Amino acid sequence: MEKKQARSTQQITDAIARINEKENRSPIAKNRYRRQLSLNFTQQELEVNNQHKQVIDLFINSLPESQQLNIIISVAPSSAGEPFKTLNDSWARLQSLKNTLEQYSENIELVYQPELDLDSATIHAVGNNISGGEGVQ
């Protein structure tokens, strides 16, 4: 089991590295970057689980060094079916994601996005690249 989890973690790390390599070729400005991570929840999950936390940590740690990291958390409705239950589930997920991401940035924006796939969330990270890359003086 531990070997399988290590291989899965390595696959995620490799996938993030490939995405970063591709994205680094087309930044939104010479010294800015934007990345996003999508997460899925089971219908009963209202909080970030350990696997989510590991993926978020890998994602954040794979970003270029930044003076100011801005995070936008977009959450979809849940598949609960009842209008107030879906809003309540989404709010609980937003708060759980915010609590997890507060250790990485103070600048967090919360967005409810009904057009996303049910039981999903997207984390957008926008920052200033201070690593001295191309175009940075």
Side-chain angles (χ1 to χ4, degrees), residues 12-134:
I12 292 169
T13 303
D14 293 345
I16 290 172
R18 282 193 305 274
I19 291 168
N20 282 340
E21 184 179 313
K22 180 181 173 188
E23 291 291 325
N24 283 336
R25 286 188 238 136
S26 57
I28 58 175
K30 286 191 178 193
N31 64 339
R32 301 213 20 105
Y33 65 87
R34 179 179 184 272
R35 307 283 188 280
Q36 71 181 36
L37 171 70
S38 295
L39 300 171
N40 291 310
F41 293 88
T42 64
Q43 185 176 355
Q44 292 76 29
E45 281 180 318
L46 299 180
E47 295 184 359
V48 174
N49 64 31
N50 284 334
Q51 186 178 11
H52 290 140
K53 287 178 184 176
Q54 289 176 339
V55 171
I56 289 169
D57 190 56
L58 285 169
F59 171 70
I60 296 293
N61 288 321
S62 72
L63 297 173
E65 191 175 334
S66 179
Q67 287 177 313
Q68 182 177 357
L69 179 63
N70 298 298
I71 297 174
I72 303 166
I73 305 168
S74 302
V75 158
S78 75
S79 56
E82 302 169 25
F84 290 112
K85 175 101 174 92
T86 34
L87 281 173
N88 191 42
D89 291 353
S90 297
W91 179 250
R93 290 173 180 163
L94 264 175
Q95 291 304 309
S96 179
L97 285 164
K98 180 182 179 221
N99 291 340
T100 301
L101 289 162
E102 282 178 330
Q103 64 184 312
Y104 303 106
S105 177
E106 297 174 357
N107 305 316
I108 298 177
E109 183 179 336
L110 306 176
V111 179
Y112 177 72
Q113 235 177 334
E115 62 273 8
L116 290 176
D117 291 337
L118 295 178
D119 298 314
S120 68
T122 303
I123 298 168
H124 302 270
V126 179
N128 299 326
N129 187 353
I130 61 168
S131 60
E134 209 174 297

